[in-house]
Amino acid sequence: MMHKISALAVTLLFSAGVFAAAADNVSVQDPYVRLAPPGAPATGAFMVLKNAGDKDVKVVKAENSLSKVTELHTHVNDGGVMKMRPVQSIDIKAKGETVLKPGGLHVMLIDLKAPMQEGNVVPITLTFDDGSSKKVEAKVVRPTAPGMPMDHGKH
Amino acid sequence: MSQRILLAIAVALGLLVIGLGLFWNPGQPETTVSPRGGDFTLQSADGPVSLSAFRGKVVLLYFGYTYCPDICPTSLVRTAAALNLLKPEEASRVVTLLVSVDPERDTLAHLKEYVTFFHPGMVGLTSSQAEVAAVAKQYGAFYAKHQTGSAAGYVVDHTADVYLIGTDGVLKERLPHVATPEQMVAAIRERLSVQ
């Protein structure tokens, strides 16, 4: 009996260590959606993605219910010209973190179904390259400048 | 004689090739051209607006568009924060203009609603493609429509600097996209102190 239990425990430990899904290794900090100005058809969601696992992980898809389309985007500063481009995936290195922030990588909420309100919570589902997924609750905040008291980009 | 002419042509062609190699750089945006600024008149929801109407005030000029989901809000939020850091008597002598480089999608009414979200004093301007392009060229601002394959439609790549125009209507400096509100306030105050 003891033998069986310890075997089971070993199996569980083993599976937790080796077969842990990307979603289990990735934690999300400070997710927020920037309140879209009136009439603006799209806005960005930002967050810090931390990967506690030993393997690199990719976010390959994002979905949300507030907008018709969700895409992964980045910005390239090409000699002072800001270029926004869709990306296929967002990498999170093993034991590393990736910051989604204004002017850089972000989740784009495109074609908002209804005007959003400050304080609304937007559930965003991130899907990783191993097929696992994670739900993130991102609060809608009014944009503030860096260094200002309400700056959510630096927490 | 004809050999000399041929040689002259060969040398001229050679120089042309070298010159093109050195100076022709079609991929570079026009930010490398030293901008001269100057007066312009564009349309707002409340009628035409001329830069010359703001003599005695410091003008912050920004080129952007309302479909711009990230860079423009970031710049405009910083600008609004800078305006809010100014004393009321200073702020009353500062005008912020957003010139939409996307007149195809930005209506004047929409522009007004958009800029007011950031700061009640901001003014949204645009006009025909040609007129907007002329003003952008005057200030050395670059923009280009780009199809990205995104569901959001086309994006407009653009320089994200804030152009600071003095009380005399002359372009003084370009504040980079990353300038903090405090840096913007310092630059504005410097220009306000010059009469």
Side-chain angles (χ1 to χ4, degrees):
Chain A
M1 183 61 183
M2 276 305 286
H3 194 72
K4 268 190 182 168
I5 289 172
S6 58
L8 183 67
V10 165
T11 309
L12 281 175
L13 278 173
F14 189 70
S15 59
V18 178
F19 300 112
D24 299 325
N25 285 329
V26 174
S27 59
V28 179
Q29 287 181 348
D30 301 321
Y32 72 97
V33 170
R34 183 151 60 180
L35 177 65
T43 192
F46 309 93
M47 63 198 76
V48 178
L49 299 166
K50 291 196 172 187
N51 180 5
D54 301 323
K55 280 203 300 191
D56 295 355
V57 167
K58 283 180 202 291
V59 179
V60 293
K61 195 169 75 170
E63 288 165 296
N64 86 94
S65 55
L66 211 77
S67 70
K68 288 182 191 155
V69 183
T70 319
E71 291 180 4
L72 306 174
H73 280 220
T74 194
H75 267 103
V76 182
N77 184 342
D78 183 2
V81 180
M82 303 305 288
K83 301 180 170 183
M84 189 179 78
R85 298 288 181 265
V87 292
Q88 288 301 312
S89 58
I90 292 174
D91 293 357
I92 320 161
K93 293 276 175 219
K95 304 285 181 198
E97 66 170 45
T98 299
V99 182
L100 276 56
K101 60 169 194 269
L105 288 164
H106 56 279
V107 175
M108 269 281 284
L109 280 49
I110 300 166
D111 254 338
L112 301 169
K113 292 174 188 166
M116 49 173 57
Q117 304 286 323
E118 210 175 337
N120 281 3
V121 172
V122 184
I124 300 173
T125 305
L126 302 176
T127 304
F128 302 96
D129 51 349
D130 66 352
S132 64
S133 63
K134 192 173 198 74
K135 201 169 180 182
V136 177
E137 309 246 292
K139 205 170 188 183
V140 176
V141 297
R142 182 170 279 272
T144 51
M148 303 302 280
M150 275 294 288
D151 178 16
H152 286 256
K154 283 190 177 170
H155 290 182
Chain B
M1 184 61 190
S2 65
Q3 262 187 338
R4 268 198 188 171
I5 292 172
L6 278 178
L7 186 68
I9 291 172
V11 168
L13 281 176
L15 287 174
L16 184 69
V17 168
I18 292 168
L20 282 178
L22 285 177
F23 300 112
W24 195 54
N25 207 347
Q28 280 295 324
E30 285 192 28
T31 46
T32 49
V33 179
S34 167
R36 53 199 167 84
D39 278 330
F40 57 82
T41 300
L42 292 169
Q43 302 302 316
S44 81
D46 303 308
V49 172
S50 299
L51 180 68
S52 57
F54 303 122
R55 291 292 186 275
K57 294 188 176 189
V58 166
V59 177
L60 304 173
L61 177 67
Y62 185 78
F63 294 87
Y65 65 114
T66 73
Y67 276 59
C68 174
D70 182 18
I71 296 300
C72 302
T74 304
S75 298
L76 295 174
V77 160
R78 285 195 184 136
T79 305
L83 295 176
N84 290 334
L85 287 173
L86 292 170
K87 297 190 190 95
E89 63 269 28
E90 293 171 318
S92 67
R93 293 179 56 216
V94 179
V95 176
T96 308
L97 307 175
L98 167 71
V99 174
S100 169
V101 294
D102 187 16
E104 196 178 322
R105 290 186 295 197
D106 284 341
T107 64
L108 293 177
H110 182 195
L111 252 181
K112 183 176 181 171
E113 195 183 21
Y114 181 83
V115 293
T116 310
F117 170 81
F118 295 99
H119 198 273
M122 277 189 201
V123 181
L125 302 174
T126 195
S127 190
S128 66
Q129 293 278 9
E131 282 184 284
V132 169
V135 177
K137 197 175 176 195
Q138 243 174 298
Y139 282 83
F142 170 86
Y143 64 95
K145 209 165 132 175
H146 188 96
Q147 299 289 351
T148 62
S150 161
Y154 65 86
V155 296
V156 186
D157 301 340
H158 63 104
T159 43
D161 301 328
V162 175
Y163 297 85
L164 198 123
I165 299 161
T167 52
D168 54 358
V170 175
L171 174 60
K172 302 299 183 189
E173 63 180 301
R174 278 193 291 177
L175 303 169
H177 172 62
V178 292
T180 63
E182 289 77 13
Q183 287 167 331
M184 295 179 80
V185 164
I188 292 167
R189 285 198 170 131
E190 190 189 332
R191 301 304 166 187
L192 277 176
S193 64
V194 183
Q195 283 299 327

